[in-house]
Amino acid sequence: MSALTAGTFPEAAVRERARVGAAAAFPAVADYGRALFGAPSAEPTGDELDAARLVPPVFVPERLEKLIDLAREPLHGDVELGTEVGGFTSPLPLYLSAFGSTQVASADLGQAASAQAGALGVPMVIGENVVPVNGYGRLDGGGGRSLLGRISAYARAVPDGVGGVVVQQSTEDADAEVWNLVYSDPSARPLLDSGRLGFELKVGQGAKPGLGGLTVVDAADADRLSGQFAVEHVFGAGSGRALRCASPGTFTEEILRQQIRLMRNNFPRARVWVKLPPGRDVAVAAAVAWEAGADAVTVDGAEGGSGWAPTSFLSGVGLPLAECLRRIAGPAGCLLASGRVWEGSRAAKCLAAGARAVGLGRAALIAVDEDPVAGLTRLVECLSLELRLLISALGKYRVSALTPDDLWSPTGWAVPARAAVGTVTG
Amino acid sequence: MDTTSAADAATPRPATTLPGSPREHLSSPTTRAVLRLQHTVLDAAREHLGGAGFTELLPPIIGPVTDPGARGAKQVDVDYYGHRYKLMTSAILYKQASLTAFDRIFCIAPNVRLEPLETSSTSRHLAEFHQIDVEIAHASRDDAMAVAEGLVAHVLRRVVERSAGELEVLGRDPDAFADLLSGEPFERRTHTAAVADLHGLGHDQNPDAEIDWAGEAVLSAKSSRPFFLTDYPKGSRGFYDKENPARPGRLLNFDLLAPEGYGELCSGSEREHEYGTIIARMRETGENPAKYGWYLEMVRAGIPGSAGFGIGLERLTRYIAGLESVWQASAYPKVPGVVSP
């Protein structure tokens, strides 16, 4: 365990799950038979997904179907969690999100997370900053922390037929040609040949919609990077540190559409993912992406992200994930959602609101920080059990069967008419 | 009679052999005949273009930026006194810039592209190759296609006249070029029509993308002389191919395909040359305009509208010589992914 902290995240609960796994889905077993339990007194929450509840029905026709299928009463263990995630087969409706543009994500935690995600068979996104910070790992000796080191750690662990690695690229690292490198690299070939390589176009991110990547660099790096990035000395001359700012990139409907088509043209054997920020026109952008052939659209809610961002953005910019999901209602393709997901209830709510799978970002990072060998595996084990319990309680036995009817919100979960491509909501 | 079925051609013929040692390769009678034939091709190209008022320029080998339009291929970085330079993947940016010196230019340009490994089995990709690059100021796509057609016909005429001995060594029947040299214009077909043809043949071609290699081979195998494919969709080519104002989403560009299954010989287009349009097209192709500083400065100050093309020299040689693999048309071949001198 390192000095990694996540003060704005349920860090202690995630660490507990990383240590004890599925047992953390329940109150302490030592209290069984002695303590009285019940719903906790309602705590006001600003998060609409947290405030929403999953609402099992009394009548459960899909359970009857399952009962007929099994010739016995179904249980939560009969829930099938396997699904297709952005063109990959995944045993769980989960994927590993890219870790943010911080030194946090650059440490060996990335490699530990890669190996565990691979063993779990869930898709994994590798962040756009890995190459500029840790190198390719081909001639530059970046070793396991490099991009190719992360890919290799995943590929060594992943079982046949499941999972996939998705490599992110943003406007600035078009210069580094990350996708071209991976697509032509021998070490990525087994994934490519088995249809398990993808590329994610990073249009934006949850923590700072409208801004590009921000990292704090030391003085030496500031000089080196000043040719490519804006470097601002906001921390004072004596701090020895500076702020490196990347641009968010300029997008219009046509730019997004054509970038996706070019990805499909240039990398015909790779899956194409698009990561959107929680912008007010997120539904239009998602529709453009699917129409242009994206295999998945990832929406990062404003509560997402592990990276460095101005506090004004963390507290007051961007749509919450719940509102993103509401605006995209009835997605025309594979929708992936991320933003503060770490346990089954929030994951199930996202799935009910239209997402095909949910991304683990900070939760995964904390889990591997707690235990680099099995922390993520245990966290996912607990989350999977919760998903099975919740989905079966809703009288359903496939993740794709969840619908907004399974959700109740104090403010309602009204679904607006879907915005047509070419219009801007908000 | 061409007995290649569509199904056979749809599977790129694997290179059954890879280059031997440099000594074996260079001293083989086949290689010698091919390289002499290639010499005739270059002579004829220079003769034809020089006679048509083109000035030959020697293109740069490294620069701060190069053509990003190579499908999935990695560029090679060069440490230029601490600045990241690139080996040229094509001369396109310099071709446009050079029109501020002369209205009609050509070069025999070396290119390096670290192609995806899957191209090692297409028989038609090299990581290091040359192009006969042509650019014409104030010209339309039709003008450029006419020059390309005239150039290929002239080269073939000279090869038949001057290289009969080499063709014989290679077992290549000069009658294979009779249709090409008949004086009939090369056929033109749109990308849309080609996609429809391929779908009709059961080939799963993405309508928004380049014709894939297997699809090209299918189309090429059905023809007895070179033919043009035109009007590729935006999103399949670099930012410099001009979008057709009359057909948004379609480019004023073309490929020239060789017959007999040999596939693409040449790509060309009318060029974008307006500053604002180029910036927007750069973004549409995922590029960061900041790295194109010198080029955009020139464009902003004004470069002529133009059209041009690049013919792959080794591919043209392969077609003329009737070779199984394009590497046979290089003295020091670099097959993608294969470590070789």
Side-chain angles (χ1 to χ4, degrees):
Chain A
M1 178 175 154
S2 73
L4 178 69
T5 62
T8 60
F9 202 75
E11 179 186 347
V14 172
R15 288 191 183 280
E16 185 197 3
R17 287 170 176 235
R19 285 192 305 274
V20 306
F26 301 93
V29 71
D31 289 340
Y32 182 75
R34 295 195 299 171
L36 298 177
F37 298 100
S41 56
E43 293 172 19
T45 171
D47 186 304
E48 203 181 340
L49 275 174
D50 286 346
R53 297 179 74 90
L54 291 158
V55 282
V58 174
F59 298 123
V60 282
E62 289 182 52
R63 184 174 297 157
L64 176 60
E65 283 176 22
K66 195 73 177 173
L67 164 62
I68 293 168
D69 182 32
L70 296 173
R72 63 166 170 77
E73 281 288 351
L75 286 167
H76 64 267
D78 297 311
V79 173
E80 294 161 23
L81 293 180
T83 189
E84 186 250 299
V85 179
F88 304 117
T89 301
S90 177
L92 301 166
L94 296 176
Y95 63 97
L96 208 62
S97 297
F99 300 148
S101 307
T102 63
Q103 291 186 355
V104 163
S106 308
D108 295 336
L109 297 181
Q111 202 187 359
S114 302
Q116 291 180 56
L120 288 163
V122 298
M124 172 180 78
V125 185
I126 299 181
E128 36 94 10
N129 68 321
V130 171
V131 168
V133 177
N134 293 336
Y136 293 146
R138 197 147 79 170
L139 295 178
D140 48 21
R145 293 165 57 149
S146 67
L147 176 71
L148 297 179
R150 295 271 304 272
I151 292 175
S152 300
Y154 183 94
R156 275 195 302 273
V158 71
D160 287 344
V162 294
V165 171
V166 181
V167 179
Q168 212 176 55
Q169 183 168 291
S170 68
T171 297
E172 244 91 7
D173 25 61
D175 296 7
E177 290 188 286
V178 175
W179 291 338
N180 285 342
L181 172 92
V182 173
Y183 202 73
S184 59
D185 193 88
S187 62
R189 197 165 190 193
L191 289 172
L192 188 60
D193 286 348
S194 58
R196 291 186 289 175
L197 184 68
F199 293 137
E200 182 171 81
L201 172 63
K202 185 176 176 182
V203 180
Q205 60 184 320
K208 37 186 180 288
L211 296 183
L214 299 173
T215 48
V216 179
V217 296
D218 62 27
D221 283 343
D223 286 344
R224 180 173 61 82
L225 294 167
S226 60
Q228 193 185 352
F229 298 95
V231 175
E232 293 185 27
H233 296 275
V234 297
F235 307 112
S239 72
R241 306 183 105 184
L243 182 66
R244 184 219 73 163
C245 312
S247 82
T250 302
F251 288 91
T252 62
E253 284 186 27
E254 182 67 355
I255 288 173
L256 178 59
R257 179 180 300 117
Q258 296 302 339
Q259 286 201 12
I260 293 166
R261 287 193 179 161
L262 193 80
M263 289 170 75
R264 295 179 59 212
N265 184 74
N266 286 3
F267 312 111
R269 299 168 72 208
R271 302 297 181 182
V272 173
W273 288 24
V274 175
K275 180 173 185 173
L276 297 177
R280 66 188 188 209
D281 50 359
V282 67
V284 180
V288 167
W290 282 315
E291 194 225 328
D295 293 295
V297 170
T298 302
V299 175
D300 205 15
E303 57 273 58
S306 61
W308 181 265
T311 48
S312 54
F313 277 70
L314 293 172
S315 60
V317 176
L319 293 176
L321 181 56
E323 181 61 17
C324 292
L325 294 171
R326 180 181 282 124
R327 290 190 184 202
I328 299 174
C334 176
L335 176 66
L336 308 177
S338 57
R340 204 183 280 277
V341 177
W342 63 279
E343 47 74 52
S345 167
R346 189 173 176 86
K349 290 171 189 172
C350 290
L351 299 174
R356 180 83 58 83
V358 292
L360 296 176
R362 278 171 292 183
L365 208 49
I366 294 166
V368 293
D369 183 59
E370 181 67 24
D371 181 345
V373 176
L376 176 61
T377 309
R378 291 193 198 104
L379 176 79
V380 168
E381 181 185 286
C382 185
L383 195 156
S384 302
L385 173 62
E386 287 176 326
L387 275 179
R388 286 199 165 90
L389 290 164
L390 292 163
I391 295 170
S392 70
L394 292 162
K396 298 180 175 179
Y397 296 88
R398 293 168 295 123
V399 277
S400 59
L402 296 175
T403 67
D405 289 341
D406 296 314
L407 282 177
W408 173 84
S409 162
T411 57
W413 197 269
V415 174
R418 183 130 116 265
V421 174
T423 62
V424 175
T425 56
Chain B
M1 187 180 126
D2 183 357
T3 55
T4 310
S5 72
D8 288 340
T11 309
R13 283 170 290 178
T16 50
T17 55
L18 285 173
S21 73
R23 176 176 293 279
E24 286 166 356
H25 178 55
L26 290 165
S27 61
S28 109
T30 300
T31 306
R32 286 175 173 166
V34 170
L35 295 179
R36 276 197 302 268
L37 194 144
Q38 191 169 73
H39 178 80
T40 303
V41 169
L42 285 169
D43 267 356
R46 288 188 160 111
E47 174 188 47
H48 182 77
L49 292 168
F54 285 84
T55 300
E56 180 172 359
L57 296 182
L58 298 176
I61 295 168
I62 59 171
V65 63
T66 186
D67 179 2
R71 192 169 10 171
K74 173 80 180 73
Q75 300 170 6
V76 176
D77 292 348
V78 174
D79 180 345
Y80 183 71
Y81 302 100
H83 298 270
R84 182 161 65 190
Y85 268 43
K86 303 286 187 179
L87 287 182
M88 288 300 125
T89 53
S90 94
I92 178 64
L93 305 178
Y94 294 94
K95 284 166 69 179
Q96 282 186 281
S98 298
L99 297 178
T100 53
F102 305 108
D103 277 354
R104 296 161 82 81
I105 60 109
F106 77 100
C107 30
I108 310 298
N111 301 160
V112 177
R113 301 177 184 174
L114 301 183
E115 298 278 1
L117 295 172
E118 66 212 48
T119 63
S120 66
S121 59
T122 62
S123 302
R124 32 171 299 206
H125 284 86
L126 286 171
E128 182 179 72
F129 64 99
H130 296 77
Q131 289 197 104
I132 305 170
D133 263 314
V134 172
E135 198 69 20
I136 316 155
H138 316 297
S140 67
R141 171 175 62 174
D142 279 349
D143 297 333
M145 290 167 76
V147 172
E149 187 169 336
L151 176 58
V152 169
H154 179 81
V155 165
L156 263 299
R157 202 172 299 119
R158 284 286 184 258
V159 165
V160 171
E161 287 167 8
R162 298 176 179 171
S163 301
E166 281 76 24
L167 292 175
E168 191 176 343
V169 169
L170 296 165
R172 182 66 158 155
D173 183 353
D175 285 349
F177 312 120
D179 205 5
L180 188 161
L181 295 173
S182 67
E184 289 291 310
F186 294 174
E187 188 200 343
R188 298 180 178 201
R189 207 181 312 173
T190 64
H191 178 275
T192 307
V195 169
D197 283 354
L198 288 170
H199 287 173
L201 292 165
H203 181 79
D204 183 22
Q205 169 65 45
N206 176 354
D208 299 327
E210 291 233 39
I211 305 295
D212 58 40
W213 299 311
E216 262 183 18
V218 169
L219 296 173
S220 167
K222 287 159 61 78
S223 185
S224 59
R225 67 171 186 276
F227 60 99
F228 289 109
L229 290 183
T230 64
D231 301 273
Y232 282 69
K234 199 160 76 157
S236 69
R237 291 295 167 92
F239 60 79
Y240 40 78
D241 280 13
K242 189 178 178 71
E243 186 171 5
N244 188 341
R247 290 186 68 200
R250 290 283 155 182
L251 300 170
L252 285 168
N253 64 356
F254 63 91
D255 270 8
L256 178 63
L257 273 68
E260 304 174 61
Y262 289 103
E264 182 194 332
L265 291 177
C266 162
S267 287
S269 74
E270 203 166 314
R271 313 298 191 191
E272 297 285 6
H273 69 289
E274 301 286 348
Y275 174 75
T277 310
I278 285 182
I279 296 267
R281 291 290 309 284
M282 280 181 170
R283 286 301 299 146
E284 289 173 10
T285 53
E287 288 298 306
N288 180 4
K291 69 177 179 181
Y292 291 87
W294 75 266
Y295 172 76
L296 288 174
E297 256 176 55
M298 282 200 83
V299 172
R300 195 164 208 167
I303 57 170
S306 66
F309 58 87
I311 296 178
L313 175 63
E314 289 83 358
R315 287 185 178 178
L316 179 61
T317 307
R318 176 194 174 208
Y319 158 56
I320 295 173
L323 303 174
E324 184 188 357
S325 284
V326 71
W327 66 258
Q328 295 172 280
S330 170
Y332 299 96
K334 309 286 189 306
V335 176
V338 176
V339 177
S340 47

